[in-house]
Amino acid sequence: METQLSNGPTCNNTSNGPSTISNNCSSPVESGSIEDSKTNLIVNYLPQNMTQEELKSLFGSIGEIESCKLVRDKITGQSLGYGFVNYVDPKDAEKAINTLNGLRLQTKTIKVSYARPSSASIRDANLYVSGLPKTMTQKELEQLFSQYGRIITSRILVDQVTGVSRGVGFIRFDRRVEAEEAIKGLNCQKPPGATEPITVKFANNPSQKTSQALLSQLYQSPNRRYPGPLAQQAQRFRPNRFSPMAIDGVTSLAGINIPGHAGTGWCIFVYNLAPDADESILWQMFGPFGAVTNVKVIRDFNTNKCKGFGFVTMTNYDEAAVAIASLNGYRLGDRVLQVSFKTNKTHKA
DNA sequence: TCAGATT
């Protein structure tokens, strides 16, 4: 693989926000049985505002996608923060795991792994654990539970400020029967060395909460609706930074030149990419700064090598501006990148 | 003291 990046916004520390310790364990490459699909991936910890189209754009940068689905709440339509990507070629699925697992997008670190075959037996296998000793580590938590089955994820919630364990956590097993056995074996039991017993029970179901939140919104404040798509779009657009009268759409039609503004977001020009640069490097560089809707490496038609530049589209002006300020002059391998809002200049280089 | 992994 190519150059690894280690920079990004300084705000981003842990894998999924400051309040949790999380693993991205259960290495997917080694976990599949011979029966499992080698093309279908599950993608977890997606940013809340990421759309299915953006998911497809991100994973489509690796190879041809057979299908792609962002899972949403049935009632609210809100993203549940995970989705599925099914590639045509198993090699591309493997490549996606190798290149995109652990990619930072906004405040999240996405997890990419093979999807298990869907079945009833793997549902409702998630446990909520409380009363844990504050000193217990995630590894110790897993050790305690692993005797009951294969752990898919584990987590200990921590205080946002101090980073100290809150004594509660989650264990997701591969199968529900394993979770049931763990409750039987560990609920009301004292872990080794602990003075108090722990509580182990099934965790709340995820989609219930968002549905409830929506319903209470509807019933409690009927006059305070969420802003509709138009209002949201108007908020995203920041014309007064350049022109006091510009309005999204109108400016484009009127031919007023706003640097970088491409109608659907802010287009950023990235110059001095290496010939072997690919889309994933652009996702890696810009993803941590905010909502990226698209990336594109410009390649020579015949050689398929990068012509030295590419483009990145970001939804929000402020995030784009910070990304540009941070990445302009960034050293990628032996090259120093030039990063700016796209202009209408013709770039010949 | 419940984050967000099975379409």
Side-chain angles (χ1 to χ4, degrees):
Chain A
M1 219 64 245
E2 305 81 0
T3 315
Q4 287 296 312
L5 284 175
S6 60
N7 77 331
T10 52
C11 63
N12 195 2
N13 47 10
T14 65
S15 55
N16 292 295
S19 64
T20 60
I21 304 168
S22 172
N23 70 345
N24 268 354
C25 72
S26 67
S27 174
V29 181
E30 61 201 37
S31 66
S33 76
I34 198 79
E35 305 286 318
D36 293 350
S37 164
K38 295 288 192 293
T39 58
N40 195 204
L41 303 179
I42 184 164
V43 187
N44 288 294
Y45 311 117
L46 293 167
Q48 174 58 226
N49 58 8
M50 192 168 193
T51 66
Q52 182 165 297
E53 288 65 38
E54 288 160 18
L55 184 67
K56 188 171 185 180
S57 173
L58 172 59
F59 282 80
S61 69
I62 301 293
E64 187 182 350
I65 291 173
E66 190 275 328
S67 63
C68 168
K69 179 165 189 178
L70 179 71
V71 180
R72 297 187 179 89
D73 183 277
K74 285 189 180 68
I75 297 169
T76 67
Q78 294 282 306
S79 166
L80 293 182
Y82 68 94
F84 296 87
V85 176
N86 193 197
Y87 282 98
V88 174
D89 187 342
K91 286 195 175 66
D92 288 332
E94 187 180 358
K95 187 179 172 193
I97 291 173
N98 291 331
T99 55
L100 298 178
N101 183 41
L103 174 69
R104 285 175 302 144
L105 292 176
Q106 300 170 230
T107 62
K108 304 284 190 175
T109 298
I110 69 169
K111 182 178 177 184
V112 184
S113 51
Y114 288 114
R116 291 170 287 164
S118 185
S119 83
S121 67
I122 69 172
R123 299 189 59 173
D124 305 313
N126 197 202
L127 298 179
Y128 173 71
V129 188
S130 57
L132 294 167
K134 298 284 170 38
T135 54
M136 182 180 262
T137 65
Q138 186 181 25
K139 191 177 178 185
E140 289 166 342
L141 180 68
E142 288 202 3
Q143 281 170 352
L144 181 63
F145 280 80
S146 60
Q147 58 187 307
Y148 297 97
R150 176 184 163 206
I151 295 170
I152 301 299
T153 55
S154 69
R155 171 159 297 176
I156 291 176
L157 303 188
V158 300
D159 184 279
Q160 280 194 278
V161 179
T162 65
V164 173
S165 166
R166 292 162 59 194
V168 300
F170 294 87
I171 294 280
R172 180 181 296 278
F173 279 101
D174 182 34
R175 294 178 298 135
R176 181 180 172 94
V177 289
E178 297 169 338
E180 286 168 348
E181 290 306 308
I183 292 175
K184 285 182 199 165
L186 293 173
N187 186 36
C188 302
Q189 300 295 310
K190 288 181 194 168
T195 56
E196 299 299 322
I198 60 172
T199 301
V200 184
K201 54 189 190 180
F202 283 107
N204 296 157
N205 199 294
S207 49
Q208 289 165 359
K209 200 175 159 188
T210 43
S211 303
Q212 283 166 3
L214 178 86
L215 287 173
S216 67
Q217 279 283 338
L218 286 172
Y219 288 114
Q220 286 173 9
S221 52
N223 293 326
R224 295 197 64 186
R225 302 262 184 248
Y226 293 117
L230 285 175
Q232 285 172 358
Q233 219 150 20
Q235 278 189 328
R236 275 206 293 270
F237 185 61
R238 313 289 176 91
N240 53 4
R241 301 208 175 237
F242 299 103
S243 157
M245 60 178 191
I247 299 171
D248 197 3
V250 174
T251 41
S252 311
L253 291 169
I256 299 169
N257 180 21
I258 296 178
H261 188 243
T264 56
W266 298 90
C267 190
I268 297 166
F269 175 64
V270 185
Y271 181 70
N272 209 18
L273 293 169
D276 66 347
D278 62 6
E279 271 76 6
S280 81
I281 198 71
L282 294 178
W283 283 106
Q284 287 177 60
M285 285 194 296
F286 288 83
F289 291 95
V292 173
T293 57
N294 198 31
V295 303
K296 179 78 178 169
V297 167
I298 304 303
R299 293 182 170 86
D300 180 273
F301 183 80
N302 293 312
T303 67
N304 210 34
K305 290 290 183 185
C306 174
K307 292 169 79 172
F309 63 97
F311 298 100
V312 174
T313 307
M314 294 187 71
T315 305
N316 305 304
Y317 175 87
D318 291 329
E319 292 169 350
V322 172
I324 290 168
S326 306
L327 294 173
N328 186 37
Y330 180 83
R331 184 171 165 157
L332 182 60
D334 57 353
R335 291 160 174 269
V336 176
L337 299 183
Q338 293 172 33
V339 183
S340 64
F341 281 115
K342 181 185 180 301
T343 68
N344 289 329
K345 271 187 278 183
T346 306
H347 295 279
K348 297 177 180 173

